[in-house]
Amino acid sequence: MSSMVQLDPWPADRFTTGVASSACERKSCCVLPRAASCHTLPIEPNMARSSHLVVSSATALLLLLLFLSSHSCRAASSSGKNPTAVVLPVRKDDATSQYVTGFRQRTPQTPVTAVLDLGGATLWVDCDPGSYASSSYARVPCASKPCRLARTGACATSCVGAPSPGCLNDTCGGFPENTVTRVATGGNLITDVLSVPTTFRPTPGPLAAVPAFLFACGAKFLTEGLASGAAGMASLSRARFALPTQLAATFRFSQKFALCLPSTTSAGVVVFGDAPYAFQPGVDLSGSLLYTPLLVNNVSTAGVSGKGDKSNEYFIGVTAIKVNGRVVPLNATLLGIDKQGVGGTKLSTVAPYTVLESSIHRAVTDAFAAETAMIPRVAAVAPFRLCFDGSKVGSTRVGPAVPTVELVLQNEATSWVVFGANSMVAANKGGALCLGVVDGGPAPRTSVVVGGHMMEDNLLEFDLQRSRLGFSSSLLFLQTTCNNFRLG
């Protein structure tokens, strides 16, 4: 038998707890954790297509990955020399605006494409029959320490069918979630070889291997809504078995990573560990980042969570928002996180644009409109509210010549200043240029979700050991982009 939870349609506020019912599906059987609850969370606009959360048992990067096939891996456990840093290439998928990466996994090594996610609990990939073949995978036993650390409380007790990654007995269970569509499923936790590059540019280098990287087995249907060719999602969260923590533990480098999202189909990068932040031409940002604390939301924001679980996502303490240097009047209590885990500001790579609670959205767009009264308007282009005639907007090194938007952090001297390249969106072929913020509704779980577009061509350092976020503001000021990062 298996357990399945199907929740009611997404409510307008907070969350609902589902009730498990018995069913058997996809041959694999899973026991749901007693303390687990399944939360329905509000869908941010343009982030999801599904209105249900289901818990049940059970091409894109080829150019960037071609060089991987010509280099042998060195296992961290046997080489005697751990790399000081490893990297993942990133590109932006035009069709979905998702950020896609690639690595090699399994035996024999197979290129795998996955969507990057600043949330989630771990890497998950499609393990349906025919989708996953490897001679080196191993189950995570239910009574093992990794299973206890995963804190899912779930165990696959029996499976009818031929043994496979998705069908194993006495195997720790997880709940891989597609955070784009907000659909999750039960799946086995297993380990296998994972290999990542040790250099980015100017030349390809050897791969570094994690012999037993823990990840969750998803299902084919879970990849719906992801970029074409994606077999799953790669978590960059603060969770115990997300990529940053596992890679740091394996290679014994600092538990931090830097994220540089590309604005086009050119390459960006995620660099894990200790590396100089060097860009062509001759730009080194290693000592010039501004820092703000990373906050912990004490209430989980995941689709499936246990009682007392904290959020794995990255929150920052925005205290005010400015437009053109002027403070926007808004309800500041929305910027804090309350005891129910509602409110605050988080960073998301699966939200293509920044999402604001309705009253904050109205205040910011009204302030921006007042500061740009001299620029001719055009009809709004969904999902945006405020659009201009792009032919009447000047250009600068950092994008369209429009007022800045500032996220004021712990004090007035620490602000994330957003320039035109990251605040404005070319919304259609007719030349409309829109303020790239979206109305998230009157009662979203998180008041401000900083989306991918606002982070593009900015270097962000997530330092988990010091619990702080470093940020550079736009690299365009320095006449460089994420595509120009160099390592090796």
Side-chain angles (χ1 to χ4, degrees):
M1 297 297 290
S2 70
S3 298
M4 179 178 69
V5 177
Q6 181 166 348
L7 303 182
D8 293 330
W10 303 92
D13 59 355
R14 307 305 184 260
F15 56 82
T16 303
T17 301
V19 180
S21 62
S22 293
C24 207
E25 186 173 296
R26 293 182 59 249
K27 297 183 180 180
S28 190
C29 297
C30 178
V31 179
L32 281 173
R34 295 175 185 174
S37 60
C38 301
H39 298 164
T40 63
L41 306 178
I43 298 177
E44 312 294 357
N46 301 299
M47 289 175 60
R49 299 180 300 173
S50 172
S51 63
H52 292 79
L53 172 61
V54 179
V55 181
S56 61
S57 61
T59 35
L61 275 180
L62 287 181
L63 290 178
L64 288 172
L65 296 175
L66 280 177
F67 75 89
L68 299 182
S69 62
S70 62
H71 294 273
S72 60
C73 291
R74 64 175 187 270
S77 60
S78 62
S79 67
K81 291 184 179 180
N82 284 326
T84 58
V86 295
V87 297
L88 289 176
V90 183
R91 77 160 181 86
K92 187 175 183 178
D93 179 68
D94 275 343
T96 62
S97 293
Q98 295 166 11
Y99 302 95
V100 182
T101 190
F103 46 87
R104 297 184 82 82
Q105 192 192 38
R106 314 167 194 177
T107 304
Q109 289 188 27
T110 302
V112 177
T113 299
V115 173
L116 280 178
D117 184 10
L118 282 173
T122 188
L123 167 71
W124 67 262
V125 298
D126 172 17
C127 291
D128 274 357
S131 298
Y132 196 101
S134 175
S135 63
S136 53
Y137 75 86
R139 66 186 178 88
V140 176
C142 295
S144 66
K145 182 178 180 179
C147 190
R148 293 195 300 272
L149 292 174
R151 292 175 54 84
T152 66
C155 177
T157 56
S158 62
C159 182
V160 180
S164 67
C167 185
L168 295 167
N169 296 330
D170 185 30
T171 301
C172 193
F175 299 98
E177 179 183 359
N178 181 329
T179 55
V180 176
T181 60
R182 301 317 303 266
V183 173
T185 185
N188 290 333
L189 295 183
I190 66 174
T191 65
D192 209 340
V193 179
L194 181 139
S195 302
V196 289
T198 56
T199 61
F200 187 66
R201 284 196 176 93
T203 57
L207 304 182
V210 183
F213 190 92
L214 187 149
F215 66 99
C217 272
K220 186 68 174 178
F221 76 84
L222 204 59
T223 65
E224 294 177 7
L226 299 183
S228 177
M233 301 188 77
S235 172
L236 298 176
S237 77
R238 62 169 80 238
R240 181 65 179 257
F241 292 109
L243 270 77
T245 303
Q246 286 204 70
L247 292 175
T250 298
F251 300 124
R252 300 182 181 180
F253 50 49
S254 298
Q255 194 175 340
K256 67 180 180 180
F257 68 94
L259 175 67
C260 207
L261 297 177
S263 57
T264 64
T265 53
S266 60
V269 67
V270 186
V271 54
F272 302 88
D274 305 295
Y277 300 143
F279 296 79
Q280 293 283 17
V283 175
D284 190 337
L285 298 176
S286 303
S288 59
L289 301 180
L290 293 176
Y291 288 93
T292 191
L294 284 171
L295 307 181
V296 176
N297 187 335
N298 289 319
V299 180
S300 175
T301 50
V304 180
S305 62
K307 183 177 181 180
D309 285 353
K310 298 179 180 181
S311 175
N312 292 324
E313 296 188 276
Y314 297 105
F315 285 76
I316 56 175
V318 173
T319 59
I321 300 176
K322 293 182 179 181
V323 172
N324 207 23
R326 296 182 175 88
V327 176
V328 177
L330 50 82
N331 181 359
T333 60
L334 295 171
L335 299 178
I337 304 171
D338 68 19
K339 292 182 180 180
Q340 286 72 46
V342 176
T345 300
K346 72 178 182 182
L347 281 66
S348 172
T349 50
V350 299
Y353 305 108
T354 294
V355 183
L356 305 175
E357 181 273 340
S358 289
S359 68
I360 298 176
H361 180 267
R362 184 167 52 253
V364 169
T365 52
D366 285 351
F368 199 89
E371 296 292 338
T372 54
M374 72 297 297
I375 304 176
R377 303 266 193 90
V378 296
V381 179
F384 309 113
R385 172 187 166 195
L386 183 62
C387 298
F388 304 91
D389 181 348
S391 68
K392 305 299 182 181
V393 179
S395 61
T396 71
R397 181 184 297 177
V398 288
V402 295
T404 57
V405 176
E406 291 180 56
L407 303 181
V408 181
L409 298 163
Q410 64 265 34
N411 53 54
E412 288 288 333
T414 310
S415 289
W416 184 345
V417 183
V418 180
F419 298 92
N422 296 105
S423 65
M424 306 301 291
V425 177
N428 60 25
K429 295 181 179 179
L433 192 64
C434 303
L435 178 63
V437 294
V438 177
D439 188 342
R445 183 66 185 271
T446 304
S447 299
V448 178
V449 180
V450 177
H453 182 73
M454 192 170 283
M455 294 186 274
E456 290 174 354
D457 286 321
N458 284 240
L459 180 70
L460 303 176
E461 180 191 78
F462 295 78
D463 188 335
L464 278 64
Q465 288 179 254
R466 299 185 182 182
S467 194
R468 65 180 188 175
L469 173 74
F471 56 97
S472 67
S473 194
S474 178
L475 299 180
L476 303 181
F477 258 130
L478 303 174
Q479 295 183 301
T480 192
T481 67
C482 292
N483 187 54
N484 292 326
F485 179 79
R486 294 293 184 268
L487 177 64

